[in-house]
Amino acid sequence: MDQSDIKKYRIKFEDELFNHVLPFWETHSPDPDYGGYFNCLDCDGTVYDTRKHVWLQGRQVWMFSKLYNTVEPRESWLTMAKSGMEFLEQNAVRKENRRVYFCLNRKGDPIWMQRKIFSECFYVMALSEYGRAVDDQSYIKRAREHFNTIWSWKDDLSKVGRPSYSGQKKMNALAVPMILLNVIEEIAGDDWSAWQVKIDECIRQMLLHVHSDRKLVFENVSPDGEFLNTIEGRLLNPGHAIEAGWFLQHWAQKLNDQSLSNTATLMVRWSLDRGWDDEHGGIFYFLDSEGYSPTELEWNLKLWWPHTEALYGSLLNHYITKSEDDLEDFERVFDYTFSHYPDHDHGGWFGYLDRYGHVSQRFKGGPYKGFFHVPRSLLFCRNLLMTMDKQDSTTGQS
Amino acid sequence: MDQSDIKKYRIKFEDELFNHVLPFWETHSPDPDYGGYFNCLDCDGTVYDTRKHVWLQGRQVWMFSKLYNTVEPRESWLTMAKSGMEFLEQNAVRKENRRVYFCLNRKGDPIWMQRKIFSECFYVMALSEYGRAVDDQSYIKRAREHFNTIWSWKDDLSKVGRPSYSGQKKMNALAVPMILLNVIEEIAGDDWSAWQVKIDECIRQMLLHVHSDRKLVFENVSPDGEFLNTIEGRLLNPGHAIEAGWFLQHWAQKLNDQSLSNTATLMVRWSLDRGWDDEHGGIFYFLDSEGYSPTELEWNLKLWWPHTEALYGSLLNHYITKSEDDLEDFERVFDYTFSHYPDHDHGGWFGYLDRYGHVSQRFKGGPYKGFFHVPRSLLFCRNLLMTMDKQDSTTGQS
């Protein structure tokens, strides 16, 4: 990528983030009466349900704190983060066991608890980044303590109420070690020595899902990493695999681990190749590794988040490898993404397209879509482009 | 409908049922080693997962028993029913509390239990119809006892492990009273006097979902039948509402209740009108009553079962009302259904089309699709046409 391309893309990312995505969420999501954020927002920002999903509340706190911490200390961003953080602290955690609810009503009363650990992870991310924003170590301490509790649950989900039955095949999901590794990146900061054992364990578990002989990253494998010839065992989730790739790449860079870096690069490339719809463009949500129809009815939708992850994953690949192939991947994803998801009429991005690229769900926020994947990707890509720009200027590379 | 139309449609239904649908399931679904049925069947009958979903096992027992009891006492049908019934009796029920598993592995070991009552309902339907096939009242007695246990759970799903939280709005789902009413039709037989209180209660609860002022049938309402302006409260499930319509129509005929019959007729008509996709044809899976995008990602798919229910529901309407509008509804649904779902290359019907009518999932059987809605609709329509034919011959109507 030459300097003019770097600049061109950086301007696009900044324009999208600061002029179209941020204003939508700053305008429509705050709840002035009870705090926290409305996250069920129609295309024009209308609140179509007042409930508050904790994944998205936590992620939005994290995102506004991250913007405050890394772009500029804008007071309004801290105010936004504070409103969500206080709402979560008051309402999200079941005190007796540190379980975090999945969904609250507008006032903060609980509606639903998942038998999964993800609400907890996003709560910890919120605590950690918000603690940095307000420069209060007690938040980071609590984030780490809460994380250690989650860690004690991860290999036995009966601890979060998930029943096990005698006919179940033992199976590990990529989702668990990948989110834990990402959360460690958030809470450990620059000195991760105390976290090394946990980092190694997450990486080990994640790599069990990477089957290099078939150039596939499986969502679910046996505890030994074996392929399972079942509906879940054959499941490919390209967006997840791409996201896992860049999570690993971050650690490969920190740990200066070339072999891990190579694997992380390949995870993004393979998953993008396999997940791409050659006929209509975009990345499928789910696939079956043996070519059967996935049982998920939404398998062929083109969701926003696999594309935002692929944007950053392919750009990061290109930054590290300098390969033209990675650049082509990035450009292909960029073209599809920027021509399909942004909505400059109302701001924000659409999230759900059908296979043919038509908007299938018009809302900008819903039970699983908030202020997170889009701004994170735009910010991370923009930051990486700024780094590339600096290096180019320094080294005289073009 | 004149006699030649009646005959034309009857022949189509019979050809589809006996020459294309039955052979597919008779050939590919039996498990010769462990009994019961493979229900994850690819388009050509290949078993793509050996697990056995209890909804579908129970429904398949019911369907083969019903064919045996009402079409002809074909020994192979009874053998099929017996295999599934024995598999379920050995494996499906958790003895200590009569809960029925949702999913078993090939051998019958449990994989999953839902916090819902539907597995139990389909198990009861299997017991009841199979009992009639083998003329053994002990099955019917057990079906009724099991049903009474389900009944004791229906208003408090915490009894099947569903947690309640303080922020939840109290809400009744149409699915519960409608399936209970249908099961009573199955287990009560011709003398339903002992069931009258339960029948009345199911009908009362179902009618709370019918908002005549708006010509809408809501999937979820408050316990008093009030509209709830939330994601769930605005949810329309046209296929469900149509199915509920003909369940009620059956009881309206038995009870000789003209007012109930009128309402049942309207439920089918309104839901077909509102659910129909004027642009691309077919019935949407979900809609939002206020025009927001449903949060269900699969909302605009065209599933087989709303169409099979609409086939029978509109034919039954026409039989009762003699209205040309109901006949047009039936013809419209027939044309879409028979031009999209049957697969004469391999037999069986496709189940999942995208909005535009392209096959989205190629399998013939999956976690929620088995040998049930298609053959039930084909059989019920064929039986009704035979009745219409007889009446026409008797009365000289044309």
Side-chain angles (χ1 to χ4, degrees), chain A residues 48-49 51 110-111 113 115 165-168 231-232 234 293-294 296-297 299 354 356 358 360-362, chain B residues 48-49 51 110-111 113 115 165 167-168 231-232 234 293-294 296 299 352 354 356 358 360-362:
Chain A
Y48 63 88
D49 198 302
R51 79 190 66 187
I111 291 179
M113 174 83 86
R115 297 176 291 187
Y165 297 104
S166 63
Q168 290 173 346
I231 290 169
E232 294 88 355
R234 294 190 304 263
S293 291
E296 287 79 8
L297 299 189
W299 75 274
D354 66 21
Y356 314 98
H358 308 128
S360 157
Q361 248 95 349
R362 72 183 194 198
Chain B
Y48 64 88
D49 198 303
R51 80 190 64 185
I111 291 179
M113 174 85 84
R115 297 177 290 186
Y165 297 104
Q168 291 172 346
I231 290 169
E232 294 88 355
R234 294 191 303 265
S293 291
E296 288 78 9
W299 75 275
Y352 304 89
D354 66 20
Y356 314 99
H358 309 127
S360 158
Q361 248 95 348
R362 72 183 193 199

Side-chain angles (χ1 to χ4, degrees), chain A residues 53-73:
Chain A
H53 294 86
V54 171
W55 287 25
L56 310 178
Q57 305 288 315
R59 287 163 155 184
Q60 188 159 340
V61 172
W62 177 87
M63 194 67 231
F64 273 102
S65 302
K66 188 65 100 185
L67 288 164
Y68 180 87
N69 292 335
T70 63
V71 176
E72 63 181 40

Side-chain angles (χ1 to χ4, degrees), chain B residues 104-123:
Chain B
L104 308 168
N105 70 12
R106 184 178 178 186
K107 296 181 183 178
D109 305 315
I111 291 179
W112 197 247
M113 174 85 84
Q114 288 186 312
R115 297 177 290 186
K116 299 176 178 175
I117 62 168
F118 303 117
S119 293
E120 287 80 357
C121 287
F122 301 125
Y123 177 68

